[in-house]
Structures are given as C-alpha cells and as structure tokens.
Amino acid sequence: MWNFFLLILIYTGIYALMALGQNIITGYGGMLSLTQAGFFAIGSYATAILATRYGWSFWATLPAAALFSAFFGLLIGLPTLRLKGDYLAIATLGFGEIVRNVLNNWDSLTNGPMGIQKIPMITIFGFVVNPYKKYAFLVVLSIAVLVAYLLFQRLARSRMGRALAAVREDEIAAQSMGINITKYKVYAFILGASVAGVAGSFQAAFTLSVSPGTYTFMVSVMVLCMVVLGGMGNFKASILGAFIIQLISYLPQLTGLTAVIPPQFKQILFGLILVIMMIWRPQGLLGREQITYRKKGGKR
Amino acid sequence: MTLLETLDLTRAYGGVVAVNKVNFSVEEGLITGLIGPNGAGKTTLFNNITGLDVPTHGRVIFAGRDITGSPAHKICRMGIARTFQNIRLFKDLTVVENVMIGRHFKTGKSETKGRFLNAFNSYIRLHQEEEEIYERACEWLEFFDMEGMKDELAKNLPYGKQRELEIARALATDPKLLFLDEPAAGMNPQETDHLMTIIRKIRDLDITVVLIEHDMKLVMSICDTITVLNYGQKLAEGTPYEIRRNQDVIEAYLGKEE
Amino acid sequence: MGIAEFFQHLMNGLTLGGIYALIALGYTMVYGILKFINFAHGDVLMAGAFIGLFVFDWLRGSAPLGVWTIISFFLAMIVSMGLSALLGVFIERVAYRPLRQATRLAPLLSAIGVSFILSNGAAWAFGTRSRKFNYPFDNTPITIAQVVITPHQILILVVSLVMMIALRLFVNRTRMGKAMRATSLDQPTAMLMGINVDRVISLTFAIGSALAAVGGILIALDFKVYASMGTMTGLKAFVAAVVGGIGNISGAMFGGILLGLLETFGVAIFGIPTGLKDTIAFGVLILILLIRPEGLFGKVEKEKV
Amino acid sequence: MKKSLFVLLAVLVVFAFPVVAQGGKEGASPKIGFIGPMTGDNANYGVLSNNSAILAVEQFNAKGGIDGKIPVVLVTEDSEGVPEKGLSSIEKLSSSDKIVGLIGPIFTGVSFAVGERVQNEGIIMLSPSATHADITDIGDYVFRTVVSDGLQGEVAGTYFAKVLGYTNVGVLYAKNDYSQGLYEGMAASFTANGGKITIVESFNVGDKDLKTQLTKIRSANPQAIYIPNYTAEMAQILEQAAQLGMKIPFLSSDGFSDPNIYNLAGDFTDGVIYVGPAKVKESPSYAKFVADYTAKYGVGPDSFATNAFDGTNILLAAMDKVYKATGKFDRKAVRDAVAATKDYQGVTGTVNFAENGDLVAYQGLYKVNKTTPEYLGTFTVVDGELVQID
C-alpha cells in the first residue's frame, strides 16, 4: 500500500515537471499547446538511446534530453509567431503525433514498436538509484522538481515573466510596450519543452524501457488537466494538480475497487474536469498567483 | 526642431487608400493635435508610425533616423509610446504591474540590452532589479494620483482611470514622443479636465505629445498646433486659431454651404 | 509505375479525400459561424455511426439486400441525423454556451473535455470492439481497364459534393443563412439587428452534427464502427478544413480531396515510408499554417487596433 | 478565504483516500493478478484474455479451490497497453494485493517493463501473448504460454516455402511489436528456405484506409500476401483487397484465430491459411472451453485467450501443489512448481516449458473454408526442418 503510494508520488513528480512546462506555455504565455507528450517522448528516447547505445551516464543524458527537447521546442515554437489559439492547438497536436509516428517507424534508431529495453539505472557516486527502491528515486526526482519549480518561480517573478503575461493579455499592447512578442513566445516553448524533456529522461530511468505506445495524446491531455485544475499561472498549483490528477488516475487501484469502477472512469473524469473547471472555476483550485512587490530598502 | 516627420506616407488596403501621401510633422516640445472626421485615417497614420502596420509607400523619420517598417517593439525602444482608441490594458494584471511592464526594456546594462546575457543578468540580480522597476512604476502612479489603487486589477478600474492608466503605462517607457489615441473618449467633463491638466504636466516633462481627439474644446485649448486629415489626405495644419478659421476644415466638418 | 497503377492510386486518393471532405464540411460550418473549433465533432460522428448502426440493424433484421435494406438505411440515417443534431445542440448548450464571454482558451479546453467524455463513454457503454456496418446495397467493385472502384466510394464522393452545394446554397441564399453570416461577422451587432443569436448558434450545431452523422454512417460502411473512430478521422478532416481555409465551404471540399491525394501519392510516388502517412497530413498542416495561415481559400482576418 | 477553503478541501480529499482504501488485507484467500489493456485501442485483447482468467479461476473455485477448501481471488489491472501503467499495475498487485503469480501482460512493450519488476520482486509471470523472442531472457520468473515470434515465424516461413511452395510473397504488417516481430521471424526463415520477400508495406495501428499499400502490393504481384496483424486490421485488409479486385491468397498469423474476424470480414476469409495454436484434433477439453467461454461471454475466445486459460490453470495447479506440500504460498516455490510442469494437458494441447521459460510447443496450421477454419496439422521446426507432429 505505502509502496504504491510512493509510486504515485514518483509519477506525480514526473508529470509535475511536464505540468510546470505546460504552465509556462499555457498559463503564462496563454498559448494552448497540446504537445507535452511529444517533448516527453523526445526526452525519454534521448536518454534511452544515448545510454544504451553510447553508454552515457544518466547525468550526461539529462542535459542532452533537455537540449534535444528544447531544440524541438524551438522548431514548434517558430510557427507560433503566426498562429493563434485554435490553430496553434491543432499544429502542436499534429507535432505530437508526428513525433510518435517517427519514433514508431524509425526502426534503425528507435527500434520501432519494440522500443528500447535495459536502460541503465541512475548512479550517484557509485550508489545505484534502483527504481525498485522507491525512496532513493523519489528523493532524486523531488530535487529535480524543486529545482525546476524554483527556477520557474523566479522567472515568473522577473520582468521576463511579466513580459510573458503581457503577451498573453494583449499582444498588440505588449508590442507597443517594447516587448518582442515572438521572442517571448519561442522562449516559453523552449522552456516548456526542455523541462518536459527532463521529465522524459526521468521516466526512462524509472521504467528502464521506452516504447512509442507511452507517449500518446492522452499524456498531453492529462498534463493540461493538471494545469487547468491547479490553476493557470501558478506553479505551486501545477504540482498540486499533478498530484490530484495522478491520485484520480490510480484511484481505482488505490482503493482496490478496480473491479467496480469502469476502466474508462478516469478518462471520462478528466473530460469532466476540463468542462466543469472551465465553466465554474476557470482560474483553477488555487488561481493565478498574486505577486507582492516592495520598494528598495523595504522590509524583508 | 522637428522630432518626427512622415514623407508621402501612404497605406492602401487593396484598392482602399486609408492614408494618402501624408506629410505630417511633429515639433519637439509641443502638443500636436490630429483631427478629422471618422474614417479620415488618423488611427491608421498612428499605426504606421508606431510599427503596428507597415506603410505601402513613404517614409517615417524619427529624430533623424528612418524608422519605416521597424517592428513595434523596436520603435517603442527608440522612444515612441502610444495608447489605444479601444483601451488595451493587460486586464487581468494589477495596475502597478501594467505600469511595470512599461519598464520592461528599461532595465539592465545597455551593452547587452535585449540579449540573452541581459536576461541572464536580470535573472541573477532579480531582487534589485524588481525593486527598481517597482519604485519607478509607483512614481508614475503617483503622477496620476493612482497609488492608492495600485493592487487593483486593471479591469476593475473605472473607465476614466483605465484611460489614465494606459497613459501611465506608456509614460513608463520613458518616451520622447507620446501618441494618445482619443484619450478623452467616454470621459465625463470632470475627467476630461483632469486629463487636460495631466497632458500639460506631461509636456512640462519635456515629452512631445501627439493626440487624436474629437473633443474640440480639449483640442483647441491644449494643442499648440493642429493637423487635419480628411479622406486620408492632409487638409490643413496650423495653430488652433488658424484651423478654426480654415474654410476647408469647416466644410469637411459641416459640409459645404450652398 | 504502370498507368493502371497510377490511376488506381488516383482513385484511392480521391475517395479517401472524399471521406475527409465529408467530415471537413461539418467542421468548417461550425468554425465559419462561431470561430471555434469543435474538437468533439469527430465524437459526434462516432455517436451518429453507432445510432445509425443500431437503427439499421434493427430495421433490417435479416432481410437480404434489396429495396428494404436501402429504405432502412435511409431511415437509419435520418434518425441518426436527428439524434446527433440533438446531441450537438445539447453539447453546445451545456459545455460551450456558458463560455461565450470567456477567454479564447476556455471553449477549446471544454471541447477537448467533451471529446474525451464522448469517446470514452462510448467505449464504456459499447465496448471497444469494432462492429460491422453492413452495406445496404451491392458493393461489388466496378473495374474499368484494371482500375477498380466500388459503388460505396462513388456514393461518398457524390454525397460530399451534394452536401457542399446544399450548404453553400443554404448559407448564401436563405434567410437563416444570412442570419448565420451576420452572427459570424459580429455577434453583438447581429443581436441588435433582432437576430436570435442563441438560436442561430444552436441551429449551426444541429446542422453540423447532422452532417457529422451522415459522414459517420458513410465511413462506417468501410471503416467499421468503434468508440475511437472519430478521433483520427476527425483530426485529419480538421486538417483538411484548415488547409482549404477554415470557414470556407468549398475550401473544405478542396482541402479534403487534396489531403487524400497527398497522402496517397506521398506514399505511392514520393516513396515516403507508409508508416509515415499520418505525418504527411500533419506536416502539410504545419507547412500550410506557416506559409498561408488562413488556408488556401481562407480570408485574412486582421485584428483591429 | 475561498481559496484556502478549496485547498483545505483538496487536502482532505487526498488524505481521505488511503483511509477509504482497504490496505491489502492478509486474508486466507491467495490472490493472483492479471495485467492487460482493458481500455485504449487494443482493449479487446486484454478483455478477451481476462475473461479466460476469470473463467479458469471460477471453475477452479467451483471445485473447491486450493486443497479443496481455499478459493483463489483474481485481481485485474488495466495497463492501457502502456508500460508506465503496466508498472503501476504490477506495483499495486505486488505490494497491496501480495499476489502469488501474474497472468499477463498482453503486449510486448509492457511485458518488458513488467518483466523486469516481477523478476526483481520474485513473482512468477505467465504471459499469454507477449511473443517477442527476448522476453523470457529477462530472468527465471518470466514464462509464457504463447509461442515466441521466433517459433511462429519459423513455422510460418518454412511452411510457406516448403509445403505451399511459394517463392515470393508480399507482406503487409502494422507498426506494432506483435506484427513486426512476426514479419521479421517469417521473413528470416522464408528467405533461408530459398523464398523471396518481394514487397513489404506497413501501416500505423488505427489506419483504416490501406488501399494505397494494397495497390502497391498488387502491382508487385507476389504469389501470396502475409498479413500478421490483429483482427480489426486484417478484416480491413481482406475487405479492401477484395474492393481492389485482388485475387492473391492471404497468409496470416494467430491473430486470425479471433472469431470476430468472421463477423467483420466473413465474405472475404475464404481460402486464408494461418498459423495458430496447435490443438489436439477434436480435443474435448478445447471444445468444452470454447463452449463455456462462449456461454459466459457471448463471444468466442481468441488464441491469446486460450493461452491465458492454460496459463491460469497451470499457475493454479502449481499453487495447489505448493500449498499441499508446505501449507503456504511461497512465491519462489510456486515459480519452481510451474517450471517443473511436465506434459500438462491443456486446451492448447500438451504444455511444457523450456529452460528459459519459453513454451515448448507446436504450431497448428489452418485453412479457412468460407468462415470455418479447417485444421491442417500440427507442426514444429527442428534444426531448420519442418516436422509434422500429427
């Protein structure tokens, strides 16, 4: 039981990383991207391929995964210069499908539908973070989530975060305030993608195998649900959202009611969450985070 | 001294010529009024100067530099700020945040301005930088007597205050030249009076002001010089006194007397 | 490649395109009026196919192919169109109408939610197994000089063409069509002009969903009926609508055919690995959006400053 | 205020869960697990096999259960066909349910991920359908009651070349682990026997329009087309091939044993030859199983479901044996008992396990007459030579 709870926490951590990325794109930048699964996949495969084929250690593949994903974030971010709302959503959705399609068909690199197995475990100074010993893995992962959270939080509180908010609120006004809106949109995508890549890297190191079937549209929708449920524009809320969505996701197993609850229960529930939250509480459980400012030499 | 001039500026949408070979110039330190009937091309002229639209022909010269076709954010950085006819505030941000966004590119060391290093730098010096920005933003709010409502969401302000906030936000970019697109639209007489005082105060800060306005009382009483547009073309320019007596202008507004 | 093979590919591409066009019409219709992508359109299509299947099987019983099967097929289609229209109107009332004043993101997210509820709800209720929708007519292929086409494929092309023309006439020539166009241009003004905007929008959804039901039943004949049938086909049709210029009825038709041909010839002639067929569709989408975001026949809409 | 209320509510709900949850009680009944896709695109395969496991457990309990007195509980978990969910499923089964053994997972990708865990936890796993050749190499706790791609492909390839006498065939397979594995296995032995694969086309799972691929194959004009796919896809291929006027014979794999193929494409199945489970001709136990299954679920079992039935029964028998000997359900002892299974008479025929956990088995060949499969015989391959068993 407790072990299972730890597992949920680990998945929460992995998805929380993705949700943080989604939040910077959607919550701050106001762009509906449906491609977190694609970046997640790129990160996972980067780690899987570099580790199994070229013998890189996890810690070397981690930044590589982030960079690869960031590069693709740039690629998909560029079209956003011209796309808005609905169009962007579809283009990003298409991009996610393309990623999965390519992974499934590029047999010589990705081993196609068979996937890649026997990915080495994380080691820290010779200590193996065996994913079967969940505490150790959870600790490493939590540190990653914490670091990502702090970095994003700091970013949101800087003038860059505010510029991104301006782009979301009104692009034309933002332009006229001297903000280069294209640059900020692309930044948002790059950041969102790279953190999803990191999540993918951890996922590969936890499941020790990757296959294209994991990275479906469902993953993107789940991440979106996390951000919407927690509250857009609030990073704490994204982590909370990730936890709640994962709990719901594993609720039938956690309660031992798998036989009673229909298997489609959680997907239907995710759908309901999106609809209901939009109608009754569009700001999410926690709402947008208000920042308090202070003057120079003000009280600490 | 001429701060800004347009040379034969033309903007056509398909067959419709919204602005036709307009030579419009703005003298430094004065308040310039831009008037004309609806659809005369005033806002289009503004958009073409401030980079939200690109002219089909002609050039825009600002402080001796050709800025034709530069993107809006670059033009803003050169020192031209503006407000909008339909208020375009960042509605879900607070009043002070709106003004702080105006300070966006005014922070950090100049040699790396707009570059990655600058972004990185501001990431490191976050607290100090934020305090600076906040302080400057509060000063501008004080200028408009709005410090008390700085934590309100912009969308919750009364209409007149929203217009003033937009001006405050534009001023926060430290412009040399400020374009106001119908600043008094929808204001009651008291608010309009307050606005007039403010515009004069802005001029006293050595900021050149150009305004589009339909409220003739306001235009005539505060503008030093007035340009009239009609059907996309310049009809007249001169002091309020001259404009008031210009036969063409009277016809444009009242129709030809037979 | 032989000449016969080329023409066979052309035929395959055309009919696949016809399927995309058929569904794209519904997308474009709703988008044209509301400027909103109904993500759940594909799932309404699925619901329409299920309803059609049940009614058809019930009416037909074990009758052999003949006049009665064709009559029951049409009856099934009419019932399915009616019920799907109700479903569409219901979805609009519950999930989209409350969000008309909200940000642009809100109805999109809500639509994704509705799509999830419908497809998974169907999987729960009807299982995930594919069901056969029997042809109501004799579908023996017709061979002309080694090029083969089935009556069903011809039917799909004809129906999408007829639907396109009917839709155009409806939108351009009727009073209600005029009200729709007015609503599309400016909702508040349309309301001031005495147009019942709510009714116009409901009607738009009703028509769009009825179209989806027709499409669902027609493609189910070939592709079978299953809970997730609307997802991929719906997405591809959407791509077709965007390529043709979303909101433009003829554009949707053209985009659908173009996409079908591109997918077929991309694989058949340009040697793209067959596994990457879907990539062609989405690649074209991203390319089109980059070069001509308004689509091939779309109108440029510029935000007023 | 309102906000904090929401947070409080959320936190409360979160902590209410574990309280509500029943903490894996150490009841008298031993549990076994099943993992397979119950939702998602391939849910059908999971559901059919799960039905078998349920049926096997019910019949076992009806006879009194372990040692004639303890009923066994089956716990089913949904993998959605995704490794990540498979992992959480095995985690839950292992730590909350404390299962003794596992039936499943269904797909190769999930089986690799889950296999590593069961090996680590020391739980025996019997997959009814993970066919990838390397799966049983994970460790000594991984077994399967399905023949590996290696064997099925080998039998298929050799049979096509030697018995049917084909020298060139075309292949149309889906990009999933099952189909691709079979294609590769068949191609290797077919070419080794002097045949030639003239054209290979693939498609993505979920694609419904396969006319482009079929038109290309038609132009290449092979003697036959091998379609090692799942039911829905094969139905689509057969129907569209007929629409293109193709008269080329079709060869297939054990995916064809799902009777639903005849509902979906009954008009086009005549003449298809496929490799499927070996069965003792007219085996009464097989007939009884199919009858029981169909009576209970309304549809017939596919070959994976048949494998799952045997797997479940082997596991139950091993548990029974261990309990009778030691009075408890030691996971390692159960594993050893399964490994020691000798000549088990199941519905799929005589079951033996090889050293590595692979099924020592034979393949059956079938030829479809209209909509009825006719048994052609039981085959295996020894040292590259095709051997007919009966």
Side-chain angles (χ1 to χ4, degrees):
Chain A
M1 186 64 220
W2 180 239
N3 246 334
F4 189 64
F5 197 71
L6 285 180
L7 182 89
I8 293 177
L9 285 182
I10 287 174
Y11 283 144
T12 301
I14 291 173
Y15 274 76
L17 284 171
M18 279 197 277
L20 290 173
Q22 179 91 47
N23 202 355
I24 198 92
I25 298 173
T26 308
Y28 274 84
M31 297 172 283
L32 179 54
S33 155
L34 294 173
T35 186
Q36 268 330 57
F39 299 136
F40 188 45
I42 290 168
S44 278
Y45 269 85
T47 289
I49 291 169
L50 290 173
T52 53
R53 217 178 263 209
Y54 303 101
W56 289 29
S57 87
F58 173 79
W59 299 110
T61 66
L62 191 66
L67 273 178
F68 269 116
S69 303
F71 173 70
F72 282 99
L74 175 72
L75 273 191
I76 189 69
L78 285 174
T80 62
L81 321 186
R82 310 185 53 166
L83 303 182
K84 275 198 193 133
D86 314 14
Y87 287 102
L88 177 64
I90 299 292
T92 52
L93 197 163
F95 177 75
E97 286 300 307
I98 289 178
V99 168
R100 204 158 59 89
N101 230 308
V102 170
L103 291 178
N104 201 24
N105 283 285
W106 193 350
D107 290 12
S108 59
L109 182 73
T110 63
N111 205 18
M114 306 294 180
I116 297 171
Q117 283 79 34
K118 299 199 186 331
I119 296 167
M121 297 172 190
I122 301 177
T123 52
I124 305 174
F125 304 120
F127 174 76
V128 179
V129 183
N130 186 328
Y132 309 128
K133 302 196 175 64
K134 295 185 194 61
Y135 279 110
F137 195 90
L138 193 57
V139 168
V140 175
L141 182 62
S142 305
I143 292 171
V145 175
L146 192 71
V147 169
Y149 168 75
L150 289 176
L151 289 176
F152 274 124
Q153 189 72 350
R154 202 174 161 87
L155 179 85
R157 284 157 181 271
S158 76
R159 67 197 178 84
M160 287 167 287
R162 212 160 37 234
L164 206 50
V167 173
R168 175 193 71 225
E169 293 287 319
D170 190 328
E171 289 187 12
I172 287 174
Q175 264 175 310
S176 299
M177 290 299 111
I179 294 166
N180 185 347
I181 54 170
T182 2
K183 206 170 77 178
Y184 275 94
K185 283 178 164 187
V186 175
Y187 278 175
F189 259 101
I190 290 178
L191 287 172
S194 57
V195 72
V198 169
S201 205
F202 274 102
Q203 156 94 359
F206 182 68
T207 55
L208 304 181
S209 66
V210 294
S211 65
T214 311
Y215 309 96
T216 55
F217 181 51
M218 176 77 196
V219 173
S220 297
V221 171
M222 264 175 82
V223 173
L224 191 64
C225 276
M226 292 167 182
V227 172
V228 169
L229 182 69
M232 289 202 243
N234 185 333
F235 291 113
K236 259 186 229 98
S238 294
I239 298 176
L240 175 71
F243 180 58
I244 297 175
I245 291 285
Q246 287 296 0
L247 257 190
I248 291 175
S249 209
Y250 294 108
L251 187 65
Q253 297 173 340
L254 200 58
T255 50
L257 295 175
T258 11
V260 188
I261 300 173
Q264 281 85 8
F265 158 82
K266 64 171 184 257
Q267 280 95 331
I268 296 176
L269 200 61
F270 292 158
L272 280 174
I273 286 175
L274 281 175
V275 177
I276 292 173
M277 291 304 284
M278 277 305 113
I279 293 173
W280 277 290
R281 211 178 154 77
Q283 72 271 40
L285 290 178
L286 296 189
R288 201 170 282 285
E289 192 170 17
Q290 292 297 334
I291 301 170
T292 45
Y293 300 96
R294 61 164 190 276
K295 291 187 181 180
K296 249 182 197 167
K299 267 196 302 183
R300 290 269 144 182
Chain B
M1 198 197 118
T2 308
L3 181 61
L4 174 114
E5 58 181 334
T6 67
L7 304 171
D8 282 344
L9 191 96
T10 304
R11 179 65 173 107
Y13 300 98
V16 186
V17 184
V19 175
N20 196 357
K21 291 190 180 157
V22 170
N23 292 302
F24 172 60
S25 66
V26 177
E27 291 297 306
E28 190 163 0
L30 301 186
I31 297 176
T32 306
L34 186 60
I35 63 171
N38 276 329
K42 304 178 298 280
T43 297
T44 311
L45 184 64
F46 264 33
N47 289 349
N48 277 284
I49 294 171
T50 55
L52 291 177
D53 199 350
V54 183
T56 339
H57 293 293
R59 291 194 294 153
V60 182
I61 311 290
F62 174 66
R65 276 170 76 188
D66 187 343
I67 61 166
T68 323
S70 295
H73 65 268
K74 288 220 171 111
I75 289 177
C76 170
R77 290 171 190 206
M78 289 172 198
I80 302 180
R82 70 169 291 174
T83 66
F84 297 88
Q85 191 177 343
N86 316 310
I87 304 176
R88 297 192 89 107
L89 286 170
F90 306 120
K91 295 194 189 65
D92 282 320
L93 300 182
T94 61
V95 168
V96 71
E97 278 172 327
N98 265 279
V99 183
M100 286 169 85
I101 285 165
R103 302 294 304 162
H104 175 67
F105 67 96
K106 287 289 167 193
T107 331
K109 281 187 185 132
S110 63
E111 62 262 37
T112 57
K113 192 160 286 177
R115 304 268 155 73
F116 178 73
L117 264 180
N118 192 33
F120 190 70
N121 190 32
S122 61
Y123 203 78
I124 302 301
R125 304 171 51 244
L126 181 68
H127 279 288
Q128 197 189 338
E129 201 185 281
E130 284 289 282
E131 284 164 3
E132 265 174 44
I133 295 175
Y134 183 60
E135 209 151 294
R136 289 289 292 146
C138 288
E139 282 170 31
W140 279 117
L141 287 177
E142 252 167 82
F143 184 85
F144 284 86
D145 299 327
M146 286 172 74
E147 243 211 318
M149 45 183 83
K150 67 178 181 222
D151 291 326
E152 292 284 336
L153 288 187
K155 65 179 174 192
N156 296 339
L157 290 190
Y159 192 76
K161 285 291 167 197
Q162 289 197 12
R163 286 235 174 256
E164 288 185 13
L165 174 58
E166 219 189 357
I167 300 173
R169 186 180 70 179
L171 285 171
T173 66
D174 288 349
K176 292 195 200 73
L177 177 57
L178 175 66
F179 282 93
L180 303 175
D181 198 343
E182 298 194 25
M187 282 188 174
N188 61 31
Q190 286 83 359
E191 287 174 330
T192 309
D193 284 345
H194 186 234
L195 180 72
M196 274 158 64
T197 339
I198 281 173
I199 293 176
R200 289 205 182 90
K201 266 167 79 185
I202 293 171
R203 183 188 52 191
D204 296 343
L205 294 170
D206 278 336
I207 296 169
T208 311
V209 178
V210 181
L211 55 93
I212 295 177
E213 192 45 74
H214 285 297
D215 185 335
M216 282 303 144
K217 181 172 149 269
L218 182 143
V219 173
M220 294 299 165
S221 60
I222 67 168
C223 288
D224 301 306
T225 170
I226 293 174
T227 300
V228 188
L229 287 186
N230 193 22
Y231 293 118
Q233 279 171 317
K234 190 162 82 177
L235 194 64
E237 62 186 327
T239 60
Y241 181 80
E242 290 162 358
I243 293 297
R244 219 173 303 179
R245 276 159 186 70
N246 187 310
Q247 202 56 41
D248 291 342
V249 175
I250 293 167
E251 271 175 28
Y253 270 91
L254 302 175
K256 215 176 188 136
E257 278 175 74
E258 291 297 326
Chain C
M1 181 189 303
I3 202 90
E5 187 184 348
F6 175 82
F7 276 103
Q8 186 65 59
H9 280 308
L10 185 70
M11 214 69 232
N12 296 345
L14 273 179
T15 48
L16 179 63
I19 289 176
Y20 293 153
L22 195 64
I23 311 168
L25 286 172
Y27 264 114
T28 241
M29 162 100 191
V30 173
Y31 190 92
I33 312 296
L34 294 177
K35 304 278 170 288
F36 150 71
I37 293 176
N38 185 7
F39 252 97
H41 190 79
D43 301 288
V44 174
L45 174 149
M46 176 270 301
F50 265 105
I51 297 167
L53 174 73
F54 292 143
V55 177
F56 177 64
D57 278 355
W58 178 70
L59 280 177
R60 183 193 169 177
S62 54
L65 286 185
V67 182
W68 176 239
T69 49
I70 292 178
I71 293 174
S72 33
F73 183 69
F74 274 110
L75 288 177
M77 192 173 271
I78 288 164
V79 173
S80 166
M81 283 169 78
L83 291 179
S84 302
L86 282 181
L87 177 67
V89 171
F90 173 75
I91 292 172
E92 193 271 331
R93 185 87 30 112
V94 174
Y96 306 151
R97 184 168 298 179
L99 299 171
R100 226 176 269 161
Q101 307 307 325
T103 54
R104 255 179 102 78
L105 273 187
L108 251 176
L109 289 170
S110 183
I112 294 175
V114 171
S115 161
F116 252 66
I117 296 170
L118 284 180
S119 62
N120 287 291
W124 176 33
F126 308 126
T128 49
R129 163 183 287 246
S130 294
R131 292 155 194 252
K132 186 171 172 65
F133 201 127
N134 287 304
Y135 286 101
F137 46 80
D138 183 12
N139 197 38
T140 313
I142 303 160
T143 312
I144 307 159
Q146 292 182 53
V147 179
V148 188
I149 187 163
T150 63
H152 171 238
Q153 290 172 326
I154 300 172
L155 181 71
I156 283 190
L157 284 174
V158 170
V159 170
S160 39
L161 207 66
V162 168
M163 266 173 32
M164 180 194 93
I165 295 167
L167 260 186
R168 283 199 62 141
L169 288 178
F170 176 76
V171 173
N172 292 329
R173 297 283 165 81
T174 62
R175 243 177 90 83
M176 201 62 207
K178 202 183 269 179
M180 280 181 176
R181 280 181 291 145
T183 308
S184 151
L185 287 175
D186 190 338
Q187 280 189 22
T189 312
M191 216 175 305
L192 292 176
M193 295 296 122
I195 294 171
N196 185 343
V197 170
D198 280 345
R199 237 183 66 204
V200 169
I201 291 176
S202 289
L203 189 77
T204 308
F205 268 87
I207 295 177
S209 305
L211 292 183
V214 174
I217 290 177
L218 283 180
I219 69 169
L221 289 175
D222 194 350
F223 291 178
K224 317 284 179 284
V225 184
Y226 51 100
S228 56
M229 69 183 284
T231 319
M232 222 348 146
T233 336
L235 270 180
K236 294 275 194 72
F238 176 77
V239 172
V242 173
V243 168
I246 196 155
N248 181 318
I249 292 172
S250 325
M253 183 84 192
F254 181 84
I257 303 272
L258 181 73
L259 193 65
L261 287 174
L262 277 177
E263 281 195 4
T264 306
F265 281 116
V267 172
I269 295 181
F270 304 121
I272 297 169
T274 36
L276 294 180
K277 216 168 140 192
D278 294 348
T279 307
I280 299 176
F282 292 114
V284 167
L285 172 79
I286 293 178
L287 213 67
I288 287 278
L289 288 178
L290 276 180
I291 301 167
R292 236 185 109 79
E294 67 277 11
L296 296 175
F297 295 104
K299 275 183 303 212
V300 190
E301 279 176 33
K302 224 174 151 24
E303 200 172 349
K304 200 165 157 30
V305 182
Chain D
M1 189 59 222
K2 208 171 166 195
K3 195 204 259 173
S4 54
L5 226 100
F6 261 95
V7 178
L8 194 70
L9 197 76
V11 169
L12 268 179
V13 169
V14 162
F15 283 100
F17 282 147
V19 180
V20 176
Q22 29 173 308
K25 274 174 274 164
E26 281 292 331
S29 290
K31 289 179 178 168
I32 63 172
F34 177 90
I35 295 180
M38 310 304 285
T39 57
D41 291 340
N42 294 308
N44 200 26
Y45 304 100
V47 172
L48 287 180
S49 292
N50 185 38
N51 286 346
S52 284
I54 295 171
L55 186 67
V57 169
E58 272 179 10
Q59 292 179 349
F60 183 76
N61 288 342
K63 284 187 218 134
I66 305 265
D67 203 11
K69 54 185 190 227
I70 310 169
V72 174
V73 175
L74 176 76
V75 186
T76 299
E77 290 299 336
D78 181 11
S79 70
E80 295 173 32
V82 173
E84 179 194 331
K85 304 286 176 209
L87 282 182
S88 64
S89 301
I90 184 62
E91 191 64 52
K92 186 257 179 181
L93 289 173
S94 145
S95 62
S96 319
D97 295 322
K98 311 248 182 286
I99 55 164
V100 180
L102 173 72
I103 305 299
I106 298 299
F107 291 115
T108 300
V110 185
S111 297
F112 269 117
V114 171
E116 297 275 355
R117 297 290 151 112
V118 293
Q119 183 63 28
N120 197 274
E121 308 254 335
I123 299 172
I124 182 169
M125 153 181 151
L126 287 143
S127 172
S129 60
T131 51
H132 193 285
D134 297 342
I135 286 204
T136 41
D137 293 347
I138 294 171
D140 53 354
Y141 278 87
V142 180
F143 291 79
R144 62 177 148 204
T145 52
V146 64
V147 287
S148 73
D149 288 340
L151 181 64
Q152 193 189 139
E154 226 177 341
V155 169
T158 325
Y159 188 84
F160 300 159
K162 289 276 175 68
V163 179
L164 299 177
Y166 290 132
T167 52
N168 80 75
V169 299
V171 178
L172 179 54
Y173 73 97
K175 287 300 277 188
N176 63 37
D177 44 13
Y178 167 75
S179 300
Q180 185 159 349
L182 280 175
Y183 148 61
E184 284 166 2
M186 191 284 289
S189 66
F190 187 67
T191 40
N193 282 293
K196 198 163 165 280
I197 308 284
T198 19
I199 181 163
V200 179
E201 291 292 330
S202 63
F203 59 92
N204 285 325
V205 178
D207 273 5
K208 295 289 161 180
D209 182 85
L210 307 169
K211 292 205 190 79
T212 312
Q213 287 92 329
L214 285 166
T215 304
K216 288 178 83 176
I217 294 176
R218 191 178 73 170
S219 298
N221 199 23
Q223 287 168 311
I225 306 172
Y226 182 53
I227 46 168
N229 297 311
Y230 292 132
T231 320
E233 280 115 12
M234 282 190 297
Q236 213 60 26
I237 292 172
L238 292 176
E239 184 172 346
Q240 297 190 350
Q243 286 175 4
L244 286 172
M246 293 169 74
K247 303 242 157 38
I248 308 171
F250 280 97
L251 309 168
S252 187
S253 61
D254 54 357
F256 210 89
S257 58
D258 177 357
N260 195 32
I261 187 81
Y262 304 111
N263 297 331
L264 294 176
D267 298 344
F268 315 105
T269 51
D270 188 37
V272 174
I273 293 175
Y274 69 93
V275 182
K279 65 176 184 209
V280 189
K281 239 184 245 172
E282 309 294 321
S283 150
S285 62
Y286 179 72
K288 181 175 180 306
F289 164 65
V290 174
D292 290 348
Y293 191 100
T294 316
K296 189 165 160 64
Y297 301 109
V299 292
D302 64 353
S303 75
F304 304 139
T306 317
N307 298 336
F309 189 72
D310 272 353
T312 314
N313 279 325
I314 291 172
L315 178 62
L316 292 172
M319 285 162 69
D320 192 41
K321 200 165 111 192
V322 169
Y323 185 81
K324 279 176 179 153
T326 63
K328 52 185 194 213
F329 300 102
D330 181 53
R331 284 172 174 174
K332 178 155 187 349
V334 171
R335 182 249 153 219
D336 291 342
V338 170
T341 303
K342 188 109 182 73
D343 289 337
Y344 174 82
Q345 294 303 316
V347 292
T348 56
T350 309
V351 178
N352 284 299
F353 290 108
E355 193 72 16
N356 67 354
D358 259 344
L359 185 66
V360 176
Y362 312 121
Q363 288 284 277
L365 269 140
Y366 300 78
K367 178 166 188 173
V368 182
N369 177 13
K370 298 270 191 280
T371 57
T372 326
E374 286 171 358
Y375 201 61
L376 296 177
T378 310
F379 294 86
T380 190
V381 173
V382 180
D383 298 331
E385 289 300 319
L386 191 70
V387 181
Q388 179 153 15
I389 308 296
D390 67 300

